[in-house]
Amino acid sequence: MLKLYDKQMNFIKTIAEYSELQITEELNTGYKVAQFQLPYEVGLVQEEQKIEINDYLYVVKEVNMEDNDYYEVFCKPYWGKLLGKHIDSLTGYSYSLQTCLDEVLAETDWTYKFEQAVSGVYTVKIERKSALDAIAALKQLYNVDFAFDTKNKVIHIWNTRGEYKETFFFNETNLRQCKVQSNTYDLITRLIPIGKNGAAINLVNGSMWVENYDYTDEIIVGYWVNSSVENADDLLKLAQDKIDIYSKPQTTYKINITALHSSLAVGDKIRVIDEIKGVDRVERVAKIVYYPTREEESYVELGNPLVSFDNIYKSMQEAQKAVNEDTLRNLTEINKLYS
């Protein structure tokens, strides 16, 4: 059952005549998106109206009317005041995540809850962003997992979301299909991090880069640009996390199972055994695509997908496009040291 609200969040009606409902949740983003079809007889929903589905609040962002029998509706999370608040500047040294969130969420109707203790303090410099964009920047800086409860307006926070589930999926019992995709297109074994105004790690690390040759001993250079980090210790810590991910093949597993366990959540670790493909792996759930009315089509993606906004580049020329003139000079000096 869908609950429809107007643009001001006044209840309009419930809708039972929907079809093709698809709900997608990803670990990287921490939120859900939804899409479904409606017959014209129920009336037209409009962009920016609100939809509640399974205790999650969405806003209608797109309506497509290509078919004569039904139309398609696409929904994003309803952020409310997180989009309405502007962060002119959030700057400080040795800031905890709690300190940052207190300031970002002030005067909004959102709160947060630490599901695990999150340690670590960083130099923070966030300027001219919405509260929502500031939260995304903090997630990346503190390297934590978020889950947004849009109905109750709560951000749940973990160091690492999920738990190991004893349930495993085997192709002779509950595993219907397992698709494996692996590539090294973005493989990097030596990562040169560049912070704000060309901040580097050589004084705290002894070299300009971090390395990981567990998979291959070949030197493959990449540049990571993060203009929000100016402290060298912070930059080093974050760069070490990045190289651990990028120095290995990026492998994803898309599995269809006989029934999607209600207890399974993004972040969980599960074991998958596919004797045909030679797969016997414990992997983290990165994405769940759920079809409530067609559960046999629901699927789970496992692995550690790359973050699209990491700003990691394979060449000096690409990195230079992402930084200012002061940083260009530092990049030139780094290149001299490297070469």
Side-chain angles (χ1 to χ4, degrees):
M1 191 77 69
L2 312 183
K3 296 180 181 179
L4 178 65
Y5 300 83
D6 67 14
K7 299 170 188 176
Q8 289 74 42
M9 274 302 296
N10 299 305
F11 177 74
I12 298 176
K13 63 181 178 180
T14 59
I15 301 175
E17 299 87 352
Y18 63 87
S19 62
E20 306 296 324
L21 175 61
Q22 173 187 320
I23 299 173
T24 302
E25 181 176 11
E26 295 191 52
L27 178 63
N28 275 346
T29 64
Y31 60 75
K32 301 177 183 180
V33 297
Q35 63 185 74
F36 52 89
Q37 296 178 355
L38 291 176
Y40 290 97
E41 290 77 15
V42 304
L44 293 177
V45 302
Q46 298 177 349
E47 294 87 345
E48 298 305 311
Q49 287 183 329
K50 314 305 184 290
I51 297 276
E52 183 181 332
I53 308 173
N54 298 337
D55 292 323
Y56 202 87
L57 197 58
Y58 302 87
V59 58
V60 176
K61 302 304 290 187
E62 182 179 345
V63 178
N64 289 341
M65 292 179 282
E66 297 180 357
D67 192 272
N68 290 330
D69 298 319
Y70 60 85
Y71 62 96
E72 297 176 310
V73 181
F74 297 86
C75 304
K76 295 283 191 178
Y78 176 52
W79 300 117
K81 293 183 179 179
L82 291 184
L83 286 177
K85 180 177 179 180
H86 175 73
I87 306 296
D88 186 56
S89 178
L90 173 59
T91 305
Y93 293 93
S94 299
Y95 269 23
S96 67
L97 179 57
Q98 181 175 350
T99 299
C100 296
L101 287 174
D102 285 340
E103 185 164 341
V104 170
L105 298 180
E107 300 177 2
T108 74
D109 47 5
W110 282 74
T111 59
Y112 60 88
K113 179 182 179 183
F114 284 100
E115 304 294 346
Q116 294 174 345
V118 174
S119 59
V121 293
Y122 291 94
T123 299
V124 177
K125 190 172 183 64
I126 295 174
E127 296 178 328
R128 296 181 294 278
K129 294 181 181 292
S130 69
L132 183 62
D133 288 339
I135 290 168
L138 292 172
K139 179 184 184 300
Q140 184 182 18
L141 177 61
Y142 287 87
N143 197 26
V144 293
D145 291 328
F146 284 169
F148 295 90
D149 177 351
T150 55
K151 181 178 180 180
N152 298 299
K153 299 181 177 63
V154 179
I155 306 171
H156 298 273
I157 306 166
W158 297 261
N159 266 316
T160 303
R161 182 182 179 185
E163 57 189 51
Y164 176 71
K165 295 295 175 67
E166 294 296 332
T167 303
F168 65 89
F169 302 94
F170 185 53
N171 58 356
E172 292 185 1
T173 56
N174 54 0
L175 180 64
R176 296 177 59 244
Q177 187 179 48
C178 177
K179 296 181 180 179
V180 183
Q181 183 181 47
S182 184
N183 71 79
T184 55
Y185 292 124
D186 296 301
L187 187 71
I188 293 170
T189 58
R190 175 179 288 179
L191 183 64
I192 301 174
I194 309 297
K196 182 176 176 61
N197 293 327
I201 61 172
N202 57 306
L203 294 181
V204 296
N205 189 53
S207 68
M208 291 294 208
W209 50 75
V210 292
E211 301 171 309
N212 187 320
Y213 299 105
D214 290 345
Y215 181 74
T216 176
D217 57 6
E218 183 178 358
I219 297 176
I220 305 173
V221 178
Y223 303 86
W224 174 48
V225 178
N226 190 330
S227 59
S228 66
V229 181
E230 34 185 356
N231 179 275
D233 289 309
D234 295 344
L235 193 63
L236 174 60
K237 186 189 304 182
L238 293 169
Q240 289 169 334
D241 291 336
K242 298 297 180 188
I243 193 64
D244 286 345
I245 295 174
Y246 281 86
S247 60
K248 303 175 181 64
Q250 301 305 309
T251 304
T252 58
Y253 303 84
K254 179 180 177 180
I255 63 171
N256 292 81
I257 53 184
T258 54
L260 189 61
H261 291 242
S262 59
S263 63
L264 192 64
V266 294
D268 287 343
K269 290 184 177 180
I270 60 175
R271 184 180 178 187
V272 177
I273 302 173
D274 186 333
E275 292 183 331
I276 298 173
K277 297 182 177 67
V279 173
D280 187 347
R281 301 277 300 178
V282 174
E283 292 286 346
R284 201 171 180 207
V285 177
K287 180 179 181 179
I288 295 177
V289 179
Y290 180 49
Y291 296 88
T293 59
R294 296 176 289 123
E295 291 196 6
E296 71 279 0
E297 296 186 22
S298 300
Y299 64 88
V300 175
E301 289 188 5
L302 311 175
N304 196 4
L306 305 183
V307 180
S308 60
F309 48 81
D310 265 348
N311 296 329
I312 291 182
Y313 307 94
K314 283 297 189 72
S315 72
M316 176 71 70
Q317 288 73 26
E318 290 177 340
Q320 286 174 335
K321 296 176 183 178
V323 296
N324 58 31
E325 291 300 320
D326 291 335
T327 304
L328 286 179
R329 287 190 287 272
N330 282 275
L331 281 170
T332 302
E333 295 303 316
I334 288 172
N335 196 39
K336 289 178 181 177
L337 289 171
Y338 171 65
S339 57

